[in-house]
Amino acid sequence: MCAVELTTDKRTEAGVLVNDFVIIAATVNGSGSQTANNTLVRALFKMGIPVNGKNLFPSNIYGLPTWYTIRLSKDGYVARRPDYHVLAAMNAKTQAEDIEKLASGGVCIYPEEWKLKQTRTDITYISVPVRDMVKESGASPALKDYVANMVYVGAMAELLGIDLAEIKNALTYFLKGKAKAVDLNYFLVEKAAAHVREHFADAPRNFRAERMTATQGKVMIEGNAAAALGAIFGGVSVAAWYPITPSTSMIDALMDYAKELRVEPDGKTTLAIVQAEDELAAAGMIIGAGWMGARSLTATAGPGISLMSEFSGLAYFAEVPCVIWDIQRMGPSTGLPTRTSQGDVLKTYYLSHGDTRHVVLLPADMRECFEFGWRAHDLADHLQTPIFVLSDLDLGMNLWMTDPFEYPDQPLDRGKVVSFEDLEKFGTWGRYKDVDGDGITYRSLPGQGPAYFARGTGHTEYATYSERPDDWTKNLDRLARKHDTARHLVPQPISQIADEATCAIIAYGSSDAAIIEARDMLKAAGITTSYHRLRALPLGEATHEFMGLYERIYVVENNYLGQMAQLLKMEYPAFADRIISVSHCDGLPLTARWITDSILEKEQK
Amino acid sequence: MTARTVKTNALGLEKTAYKGSESTLCNGCGHDSISAKIIDACWELGLDQRYIFKLSGIGCSSKTPAYFLGLSHSFNTVHGRMPSVATGATLANHSLICVGVSGDGDTGSIGFGQFKHMLRRNVPAVYIVENNGVYGLTKGQFSATADENQRQKYYGVNYFPPLDLCLEAIIADCTFVARSFSGDPQQCRELLKAALSHKGMALVDIISPCVTFNDTPESTKSYAYGKANNIELQQIEHIPPGLVIQRQEITIPDYAEGETIAVTMHDGSQILLKKTDNTHDPRDKQAAIRLLEQSKAEQKFITGLIYIAEPRPTLGELERIADTPLAELPDERLRPSREALAKVMADLG
């Protein structure tokens, strides 16, 4: 592997790294480190420093190790970095390995009571009497574990120069202003900060958080919350779901926002949310609701997608609108439920038996989670078909900074619907008759328009049962025409063409953050790339044109098989030999470092 | 009920207006009789077909919605999953009447879980099981309601006890549970009318002989068996709202004191249950459970209204969904305002 040293690591003359390093908190799952980590992220964000938090957690309620990484990047990079510089070692079981991986020159904060043997000479050890401080705080036994994590918040605040006032503000924000809770937590923050100030006055302060203005006007949100908010503004009125990591928090957010945004003056709701008995039932419910004319959605993950396979085919063939969010996690099988991947691309595109192809949206950031959240419902109604949205754990469950969301720029698109009154104008009406030549026919809603018989069996233009070969092929031809229409209607890819580029990158979804950084790293190494970010399936002419421009196209994605590379080869066989799959899947979000090295290695051959 | 001389119903429609397309089931199929009774029931109740929708799963029974109420929307879904589609559809529009048609394969096997959860949630629908104990379309496999030790030419002996769908419904807190026999058109029709008047989920389990695969003399789901062994719990008569007074004048004198139970339904209609030799009180849940257990042990073919109770709140009521059907809400009630988004963003900043 080529290891060109790229200079994203810019130290000042005094050897200090300002707003460009990684913090990691290694804790025990279930010990309540979330408030501590969120507080650090928000305090840094409020200091105007671009920041990204990632929770690398186990599939477990209590006891297994968990890590939370916080990247500060004055350049605004928000992808995962594989290295870290400031460690809060709070998990005795993993401390040896955690300390071993700490970057040279790094800082390790750990509980004094461990009486740790300080074996590394190239790092700074900072011990804090966690147990004594918690005792002194007077925290009840139930809260002890939780508040103990505030010790590393305080130690870091002192070591890194994080404004204590911002820490207190963040605590107030997350603890919803409850003064007693804020005071208890903040007591430990101050205590730890004072301890470090007093006992480690001479320890090097090589990593510094300094105020910037780069986050002004921005907000922080998790992708699942952004998606739920988008759906709310898309007018979703029926949601059915079955709990599955990492999608559950999307429904939690939907419930929270529904209480705020979708309750009528009489206290009744315009959004019904039902916890189904399984994913099959969740799919059935949203299809029933979509057929009836409501806007419906479910959120699930890979195993749920597998279970929804049969129903997805029914909705495709009977042409029923609904929206299915897949917050992707690792497969095959149960895989790693709390780890991220982009492994459901081929599965969802072709979900169900027979010749089925779906529309799949690929949000890459918080704004797209929101935008595709409402747009998916417009597309579902317009195209009368299930719309899949492929987010993933990295987008969905981590905190990202973002520009505020824009209000939908168009009214709700209800598509072609025929009412009782319209029928008089139409004279005759065929539910599956392609009047406009775009493959999209006129549907009718129970209680609101003329009756037809919806079915998953073979049917004519008039929705009557048919086994005739010509009816069958005519229907599939029309569905193919509709799929082609969809190519123009879905969010179009975004191309960044560099005139001097000799090769190109195609990517999608959450990989975007790492691609942005990797392109800068590649450029620094002398390789200029163009970039084409796919935002939906089916693929369209813009992608075809882009592929015509470059001899070498690196398709970067977070799965093992290189699924999008395969799909591109299948769709555009004439360009198949231009496609080089750069795929990786180990449960972690892609890093710019890995992408850069992978492409460099191939380019320098 | 005696034959009525009127040829049109409350909507001024003839019964033929409630027909569907021609059946493609086997000649003599019990399911066709049930379709005819659904037509009778809806016509007699004067229901507007535009505000009824029909759902079904997969199988012979699930084909039948094509053969009745041709002016109602219908959705022939996937095998065993009609309950979940009904759940979503009724949430989306609670102002319509949902008629679900299913078979014993659909309900008792592949969709058993969904059936139970639909009952548990009290999804407002008339759930009709066209129960013949056999898989017809795949040529005669036993279903989960087939008799224990029943023999089939190809598949041998069924060693497993049958599931009793009525019993399952009662213990899942369904508040309207009836069993009928497709060879008893009058009872079938009256029970369907009563079910259509019930608020919440109503189960009507109708034994419906499969003339091709399960009409043998030894089958308890054959015409011959049903005709010979049907023990009717009551004579049932459904009296629509508005007709109550008039009908009372005619019918009440015929009923001796203490032998008639009058149950007022949610829509204001009444069902009059005239006791036969049986002493079963369908308002008694434990009695209903005992009755079903007993008739199973004694191999008795009991039909009629087995259990009825004060309706539980429906799913939509528990969800507190808006009075306007969700599917008919105007855009401005679905999409919050620009100011609402600005406030959410400000809270996140």
Side-chain angles (χ1 to χ4, degrees):
Chain A
M1 177 96 29
C2 171
V4 173
E5 190 49 52
L6 298 169
T7 51
T8 47
D9 184 333
K10 293 191 185 90
R11 287 167 200 265
T12 62
E13 278 176 31
V16 175
L17 270 175
V18 178
N19 296 344
D20 191 16
F21 56 91
V22 177
I23 298 168
I24 191 163
T27 58
V28 175
N29 195 39
S31 70
S33 55
Q34 195 184 2
T35 308
N37 299 328
N38 284 343
T39 297
L40 278 172
V41 170
R42 187 167 173 89
L44 292 165
F45 171 72
K46 283 296 193 181
M47 285 175 72
I49 306 164
V51 64
N52 178 262
K54 289 196 195 300
N55 192 8
L56 310 172
F57 63 105
S59 179
N60 160 262
I61 307 286
Y62 188 92
L64 288 181
T66 183
W67 295 269
Y68 194 89
T69 68
I70 300 168
R71 176 178 186 182
L72 291 75
S73 170
K74 59 181 172 13
D75 301 318
Y77 297 127
V78 288
R80 184 176 76 89
R81 260 179 82 162
D83 50 350
Y84 53 84
H85 311 87
V86 181
L87 163 69
M90 301 293 283
N91 185 347
K93 282 187 183 154
T94 62
Q95 54 85 7
E97 201 182 336
D98 292 336
I99 292 170
E100 191 189 320
K101 287 185 191 160
L102 182 62
S104 187
V107 183
C108 170
I109 300 161
Y110 71 97
E112 194 176 278
E113 57 269 26
W114 284 359
K115 306 200 186 316
L116 204 64
K117 211 188 236 175
Q118 301 186 354
T119 50
R120 278 183 69 172
T121 54
D122 62 334
I123 61 171
T124 306
Y125 287 92
I126 306 284
S127 62
V128 193
V130 176
R131 195 170 49 203
D132 292 349
M133 283 182 178
V134 171
K135 200 171 169 189
E136 199 185 329
S137 77
S140 67
L143 288 176
K144 273 185 175 169
D145 278 357
Y146 287 84
V147 298
N149 293 303
M150 285 299 148
V151 171
Y152 68 76
V153 175
M156 281 187 194
E158 168 59 25
L159 284 166
L160 310 178
I162 304 170
D163 192 334
L164 282 178
E166 293 293 4
I167 298 271
K168 190 161 190 182
N169 287 342
L171 274 172
T172 308
Y173 179 85
F174 288 115
L175 299 172
K176 300 187 165 66
K178 288 174 208 144
K180 212 174 143 189
V182 173
D183 289 347
L184 172 64
N185 282 281
Y186 191 64
F187 171 84
L188 285 161
V189 171
E190 274 195 316
K191 200 87 198 159
H195 174 87
V196 174
R197 208 177 304 130
E198 195 181 320
H199 296 274
F200 298 94
D202 298 334
R205 288 345 190 223
N206 286 341
F207 303 95
R208 302 296 290 170
E210 289 180 5
R211 277 195 182 273
M212 293 174 67
T213 52
T215 64
Q216 221 160 38
K218 292 187 190 292
V219 300
M220 291 209 87
I221 193 169
E222 292 169 356
N224 282 348
L229 203 53
I232 294 255
F233 281 83
V236 64
S237 57
V238 176
W241 66 294
Y242 187 72
I244 183 169
T245 305
S247 72
T248 307
S249 62
M250 177 172 164
I251 300 295
D252 292 346
L254 199 67
M255 290 195 263
D256 288 344
Y257 283 128
K259 277 180 218 145
E260 188 181 335
L261 299 168
R262 294 289 294 277
V263 174
E264 304 247 289
D266 62 1
K268 294 188 174 177
T269 183
T270 59
L271 170 53
I273 304 173
V274 182
Q275 183 182 329
E277 57 269 33
D278 54 31
E279 286 91 344
L280 283 81
M285 288 176 195
I286 64 164
I287 289 167
W291 170 73
M292 188 58 80
R295 298 197 141 190
S296 61
L297 74 73
T298 188
T300 189
I305 289 291
S306 294
L307 287 170
M308 292 175 186
S309 171
E310 185 192 25
F311 254 133
S312 299
L314 174 72
Y316 173 81
F317 201 50
E319 300 183 57
V320 177
C322 58
V323 174
I324 299 175
W325 279 80
D326 176 7
I327 315 300
Q328 295 168 99
R329 65 187 219 189
M330 294 276 281
S333 191
T334 309
L336 293 175
T338 62
R339 305 290 162 158
T340 195
S341 100
Q342 296 179 312
D344 295 344
V345 173
L346 285 172
K347 173 81 182 168
T348 45
Y349 187 50
Y350 292 114
L351 193 67
S352 207
H353 51 272
D355 295 300
T356 308
R357 278 181 304 175
H358 296 290
V359 173
V360 180
L361 310 187
L362 305 164
D365 55 31
M366 296 305 101
R367 279 163 71 89
E368 286 186 350
C369 283
F370 175 78
E371 185 198 328
F372 294 1
W374 60 264
R375 209 178 275 285
H377 292 281
D378 283 352
L379 282 166
D381 276 358
H382 192 100
L383 291 162
Q384 300 172 28
T385 199
I387 304 292
F388 291 84
V389 193
L390 292 193
S391 175
D392 59 33
L393 185 144
D394 185 28
L395 280 180
M397 292 189 72
N398 287 322
L399 263 177
W400 300 78
M401 54 175 197
T402 176
D403 288 328
F405 304 150
E406 276 163 27
Y407 197 71
D409 57 4
Q410 59 186 60
L412 270 63
D413 177 359
R414 308 307 295 255
K416 301 177 187 176
V417 181
V418 52
S419 66
F420 288 121
E421 296 75 39
D422 291 335
L423 185 62
E424 321 235 320
K425 282 183 263 167
F426 269 77
T428 60
W429 163 71
R431 166 68 184 91
Y432 299 110
K433 199 170 166 64
D434 189 3
V435 180
D436 304 323
D438 56 3
I440 305 168
T441 61
Y442 287 76
R443 73 177 178 133
S444 166
L445 307 174
Q448 304 186 58
Y452 72 100
F453 199 97
R455 55 173 92 239
T457 45
H459 46 267
T460 65
E461 289 176 330
Y462 293 90
T464 55
Y465 181 69
S466 171
E467 298 184 2
R468 288 171 60 100
D470 53 340
D471 282 335
W472 187 262
T473 45
K474 203 171 165 186
N475 202 18
L476 286 197
D477 285 346
R478 182 183 57 76
L479 285 168
R481 205 152 57 235
K482 185 164 92 166
H483 198 67
D484 285 338
T485 299
R487 292 180 200 276
H488 308 289
L489 295 176
V490 298
Q492 295 298 298
I494 293 174
S495 287
Q496 291 177 31
I497 307 281
D499 291 337
E500 63 278 31
T502 53
C503 64
I505 294 172
I506 292 181
Y508 58 93
S510 64
S511 303
D512 183 50
I515 302 285
I516 292 169
E517 188 179 355
R519 288 182 70 216
D520 289 348
M521 291 166 94
L522 283 164
K523 194 166 185 183
I527 292 169
T528 304
T529 55
S530 285
Y531 177 30
H532 185 75
R533 182 163 68 82
L534 300 171
R535 300 202 301 159
L537 298 174
L539 300 165
E541 190 46 37
T543 300
H544 187 226
E545 274 174 23
F546 181 85
M547 290 173 71
L549 300 176
Y550 302 96
E551 294 292 321
R552 293 182 310 286
I553 300 163
Y554 296 98
V555 180
V556 181
E557 53 196 319
N558 194 357
N559 57 55
Y560 184 79
L561 293 174
Q563 298 187 19
M564 189 63 82
Q566 292 189 24
L567 197 57
L568 285 160
K569 285 181 188 174
M570 219 162 12
E571 286 269 328
Y572 306 112
F575 294 145
D577 60 353
R578 300 179 169 207
I579 292 168
I580 304 158
S581 176
V582 178
S583 69
H584 184 65
C585 187
D586 61 0
L588 300 170
L590 297 180
T591 64
R593 172 86 267 163
W594 178 83
I595 295 167
T596 304
D597 286 346
S598 303
I599 292 177
L600 273 180
E601 186 192 20
K602 293 185 167 77
E603 281 292 301
Q604 289 172 348
K605 257 184 193 163
Chain B
M1 199 186 322
T2 50
R4 307 178 76 168
T5 49
V6 281
K7 292 279 191 264
T8 56
N9 67 1
L11 296 179
L13 294 169
E14 289 183 31
K15 201 194 282 184
T16 50
Y18 287 75
K19 284 192 167 166
S21 58
E22 202 182 324
S23 170
T24 60
L25 300 176
C26 307
N27 281 332
C29 178
H31 297 358
D32 284 335
S33 316
I34 299 170
S35 295
K37 291 311 118 189
I38 296 171
I39 291 171
D40 283 357
C42 292
W43 177 69
E44 287 187 16
L45 290 174
L47 300 179
D48 188 333
Q49 292 178 69
R50 290 177 302 174
Y51 304 111
I52 304 173
F53 66 94
K54 306 169 286 180
L55 297 176
S56 61
I58 292 291
C60 293
S61 59
S62 291
K63 290 180 165 203
T64 65
Y67 316 142
F68 60 85
L69 310 186
L71 296 177
S72 296
H73 278 261
S74 193
F75 196 175
N76 180 196
T77 66
V78 289
H79 199 13
R81 323 287 181 202
M82 178 266 278
S84 60
V85 177
T87 306
T90 52
L91 274 176
N93 196 334
H94 58 80
S95 72
L96 309 180
I97 296 169
C98 175
V99 176
V101 177
S102 181
D104 40 306
D106 243 20
T107 303
S109 290
I110 185 167
F112 192 58
Q114 292 214 342
F115 170 62
K116 294 285 292 200
H117 283 278
M118 181 177 176
L119 291 161
R120 177 178 158 254
R121 293 193 182 98
N122 198 25
V123 172
V126 176
Y127 191 114
I128 300 165
V129 183
E130 305 190 344
N131 187 347
N132 57 17
V134 77
Y135 285 79
L137 278 176
T138 51
K139 304 206 184 300
Q141 297 80 14
F142 292 115
S143 84
T145 64
D147 300 322
E148 190 171 355
N149 294 321
Q150 193 187 337
R151 186 174 289 278
Q152 288 274 21
K153 240 185 262 169
Y154 185 79
Y155 290 99
V157 177
N158 170 46
Y159 296 108
F160 311 107
L163 289 177
D164 186 325
L165 299 174
C166 288
L167 194 55
E168 296 292 345
I170 293 169
I171 60 175
D173 291 314
C174 182
T175 53
F176 185 105
V177 180
R179 174 164 288 148
S180 190
F181 173 52
S182 70
D184 185 345
Q186 183 185 318
Q187 185 199 48
C188 231
R189 181 191 62 224
E190 295 305 301
L191 282 173
L192 286 170
K193 279 157 66 182
L196 283 161
S197 302
H198 184 68
K199 186 180 87 105
M201 184 159 166
L203 174 75
V204 188
D205 178 26
I206 306 176
I207 307 304
S208 172
C210 171
V211 291
T212 305
F213 294 107
N214 201 12
D215 200 26
T216 53
E218 65 271 21
S219 167
T220 61
K221 291 182 178 64
S222 66
Y223 274 117
Y225 184 91
K227 295 268 188 209
N229 296 288
N230 183 6
I231 302 166
E232 287 191 71
L233 292 171
Q234 329 85 354
Q235 283 172 16
I236 178 169
E237 188 175 1
H238 177 272
I239 299 163
L243 287 177
V244 174
I245 292 164
Q246 187 200 346
R247 297 293 294 171
Q248 268 178 347
E249 285 170 8
I250 300 162
T251 53
I252 289 296
D254 297 337
Y255 290 68
E257 180 119 7
E259 286 187 342
T260 301
I261 301 168
V263 182
T264 303
M265 307 297 286
H266 185 74
D267 65 354
S269 63
Q270 277 201 323
I271 47 174
L272 296 180
L273 304 169
K274 186 184 173 189
K275 285 181 186 172
T276 56
D277 295 343
N278 260 282
T279 55
H280 177 60
D281 183 347
R283 296 166 299 187
D284 182 338
K285 189 175 186 176
Q286 294 307 320
I289 293 169
R290 270 198 310 277
L291 175 80
L292 289 170
E293 294 282 14
Q294 227 163 21
S295 57
K296 187 175 170 183
E298 295 167 14
Q299 294 236 312
K300 278 185 178 165
F301 181 31
I302 302 281
T303 61
L305 184 61
I306 295 167
Y307 180 58
I308 186 162
E310 190 59 34
R312 288 191 290 129
T314 61
L315 175 62
E317 287 170 346
L318 292 170
E319 288 271 330
R320 288 181 54 75
I321 52 172
D323 294 336
T324 309
L326 298 176
E328 295 178 11
L329 284 172
D331 295 4
E332 62 272 17
R333 284 168 73 187
L334 287 171
R335 171 172 288 168
S337 67
R338 199 174 277 278
E339 293 69 36
L341 180 62
K343 184 183 178 299
V344 173
M345 289 295 109
D347 290 347
L348 289 169

